[in-house]
């Protein structure tokens, strides 16, 4: 099964205490942030802290770095300084065109070659935060074989739409759906936006359940408390696992008997149901690890 | 060689951090470190060593360093020294 990214936890790149403890909360990925969480006057300090943390500390999860957009005065320098530490993934903000992905891909390729890293080992992800970016979602998602996911950056997106965020999230429904479609077409993952009220667990769980239903693979989170909540939402239930096992057993038996029609409890089992059952079991297995 | 031309400061006084101030030293003076740390007895030598090593890697031979440690790990000390030296260098980092 592909790498789990149920929870991608943002960690401010200029906070040594938080960089130090980032790995202990069980997030599937940590994202060391050089962008919004870091003041313009502290970009140099954050780059050095993130570089040293990745180089010197061991994290039990994927380590990503969110760099500034390459068209800002900071993006290229972010990449120049953190790539030698070999992060697992570079996350780009505000993606609006495939060319941005290709430009960063090229910078990463040069760094891999210069530092003798195996080619293609540093992955990429990009957040779509504008209507313009959403229109290019598939082009962005498929612009490089390094692309592992596209994400939606909700707050900026909602500002771009000139609306406000509601508890039910209707204003993001269309964008989320299109993002998942683009990700699936490109064969990569879809990651949802952050939920910023860390004290409102009930609404967080409702939103996480909703985006799982839409097909998202995970969500960006901003607080360690949201990590386990996310994982609980994505954990297949015992009933789902038991049903998936029965589906696959029935499928296997039918194949052995060379039977054309497969049924379980009076319901026909066809290819999508088998694929879903395989996914549930793979998920349950991956979660155990 | 990195030329320390002015005062450069980096870090904070928060837990797990270290506040580093790098300023020019006289030629041939070497690296002089003033250190304040709650763990100076156990780790003072190690903190000085990391500061000196980092500056040496940056090709800084003469500098004065004031360090107020709040329990920083080696990686944080290295990062803060690199930033402070960059800010102190001619033309910045």
């Amino acid at each position: 099964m592909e790498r789990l990214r149920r929870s991608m936890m943002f960690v401010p790149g200029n906070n040594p205490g938080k960089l130090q403890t980032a790995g202990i909360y069980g997030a599937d990925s940590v994202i060391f942030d050089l962008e919004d969480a870091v003041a313009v006057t502290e970009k140099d300090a954050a780059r050095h802290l993130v570089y040293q943390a990745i180089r010197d500390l061991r994290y039990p999860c994927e380590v990503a770095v969110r760099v500034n957009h390459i068209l800002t005065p900071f993006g290229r320098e972010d990449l120049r300084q953190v790539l030698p530490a070999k992060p697992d993934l570079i996350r780009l903000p505000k993606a609006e065109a495939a060319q941005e992905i290709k430009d960063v891909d090229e910078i990463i390729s040069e760094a891999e070659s210069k530092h003798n890293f195996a080619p293609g080992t540093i992955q990429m992800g990009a957040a779509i935060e504008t209507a313009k970016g959403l229109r290019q979602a598939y082009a962005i998602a498929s612009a490089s074989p390094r692309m592992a996911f596209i994400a939606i950056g909700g707050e900026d997106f909602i500002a771009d739409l000139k609306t406000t965020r509601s508890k039910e999230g209707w204003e993001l429904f269309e964008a989320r759906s299109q993002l998942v479609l683009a990700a699936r077409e490109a064969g990569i993952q879809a990651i949802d936006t952050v939920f910023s009220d860390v004290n409102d667990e009930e609404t967080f769980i409702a939103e996480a359940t909703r985006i799982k239903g839409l097909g998202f693979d995970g969500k960006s989170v901003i607080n360690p408390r949201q990590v386990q909540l996310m994982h609980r939402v994505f954990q297949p239930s015992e009933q789902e696992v038991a049903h998936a096992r029965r589906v696959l057993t029935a499928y296997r038996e039918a194949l052995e008997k060379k039977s054309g029609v497969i049924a379980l409890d009076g319901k026909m089992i066809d290819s999508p149901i088998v694929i879903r059952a395989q996914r549930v079991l793979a998920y349950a297995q991956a979660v155990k690890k | 060689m990195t030329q320390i031309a002015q005062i450069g400061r980096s870090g904070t006084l928060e837990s797990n951090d270290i506040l580093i101030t790098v300023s020019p030293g006289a030629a041939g003076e070497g690296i002089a470190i003033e250190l304040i740390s709650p763990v100076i007895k156990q780790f003072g030598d190690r903190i000085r060593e990391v500061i000196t090593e980092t500056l040496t890697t940056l090709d800084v031979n003469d500098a004065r360093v004031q360090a107020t440690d709040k329990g920083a790990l080696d990686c944080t000390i290295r990062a803060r020294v690199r930033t402070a030296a960059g800010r102190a260098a001619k033309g910045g980092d």
Side-chain angles (χ1 to χ4, degrees), chain A residues 3-9 11 21-31 59-62 219 221 223-232 286-287 289:
Chain A
R3 179 189 273 281
L4 293 186
R5 291 193 180 89
R6 298 162 298 177
S7 55
M8 301 193 79
M9 188 175 78
V11 181
T21 55
I24 67 176
Y25 301 105
D28 290 329
S29 310
V30 289
I31 309 168
Y59 293 95
C61 59
E62 179 178 64
K219 192 169 176 62
V221 299
N223 188 288
R225 278 157 60 192
Q226 296 176 329
V227 169
Q228 291 311 318
L229 296 176
M230 236 2 245
H231 293 191
R232 248 180 275 155
V287 168
K289 282 181 187 166

Side-chain angles (χ1 to χ4, degrees), chain A residues 20 41 44 48 51 56, chain B residues 73 75 78 82-83 87 93:
Chain A
Q20 218 169 289
T41 51
D44 57 343
H48 290 149
Y51 166 82
D56 295 358
Chain B
L73 294 183
C75 58
R78 287 192 190 102
R82 284 180 68 198
T83 308
R87 290 174 179 178
D93 191 6

Side-chain angles (χ1 to χ4, degrees), chain A residues 52-249:
Chain A
Q52 289 294 344
I54 298 173
R55 218 198 62 159
D56 295 358
L57 304 179
R58 290 285 162 266
Y59 293 95
C61 59
E62 179 178 64
V63 176
V65 179
R66 178 166 75 168
V67 295
N68 289 275
H69 196 284
I70 51 159
L71 297 179
T72 68
F74 313 109
R76 286 178 186 272
E77 189 61 13
D78 290 345
L79 289 164
R80 190 181 75 81
Q81 296 222 19
V82 300
L83 284 171
K86 199 173 187 284
D88 297 315
L89 185 142
I90 294 293
R91 178 169 162 149
L92 309 173
K94 297 183 184 68
E96 290 194 324
Q99 192 56 46
E100 297 163 18
I101 307 299
K102 288 178 179 157
D103 289 348
V104 174
D105 177 302
E106 203 179 308
I107 295 169
I108 296 175
S109 293
E110 282 167 19
E112 283 176 342
S113 160
K114 183 175 172 191
H115 300 285
N116 294 320
F117 303 151
T121 45
I122 299 175
Q123 292 191 293
M124 292 171 67
I128 285 170
E129 305 182 37
T130 58
K132 188 178 174 190
L134 189 64
R135 293 281 188 186
Q136 298 297 319
Y138 172 72
I140 290 166
S142 57
S144 159
R146 295 183 192 277
M147 286 293 289
F149 66 85
I150 46 174
I152 181 153
E155 296 303 331
D156 284 292
F157 195 87
I158 285 166
D160 195 41
L161 286 188
K162 301 192 195 308
T163 182
T164 51
R165 198 158 180 178
S166 68
K167 260 193 168 181
E168 299 79 17
W170 290 112
E171 63 286 345
L172 282 179
F173 177 73
E174 176 72 17
R176 281 173 165 149
S177 303
Q178 286 195 29
L179 193 96
V180 171
L181 287 171
R184 293 294 175 253
E185 189 181 355
I188 66 174
Q189 293 181 331
I191 305 295
D192 191 42
T193 185
V194 298
F195 180 82
S196 50
D197 185 352
V198 293
N199 294 316
D200 187 356
E201 292 191 357
E202 199 184 326
T203 310
F204 176 86
I205 290 167
E207 181 166 291
T209 306
R210 206 162 44 235
I211 62 106
K212 182 188 171 214
L214 282 174
F216 278 89
D217 297 279
K219 192 169 176 62
S220 303
V221 299
I222 50 163
N223 188 288
R225 278 157 60 192
Q226 296 176 329
V227 169
Q228 291 311 318
L229 296 176
M230 236 2 245
H231 293 191
R232 248 180 275 155
V233 169
F234 271 74
Q235 173 90 47
S237 68
E238 280 179 28
Q239 291 94 318
E240 283 174 307
V241 173
H243 179 71
R245 286 211 176 96
R246 293 183 61 222
V247 166
L248 293 180
T249 304

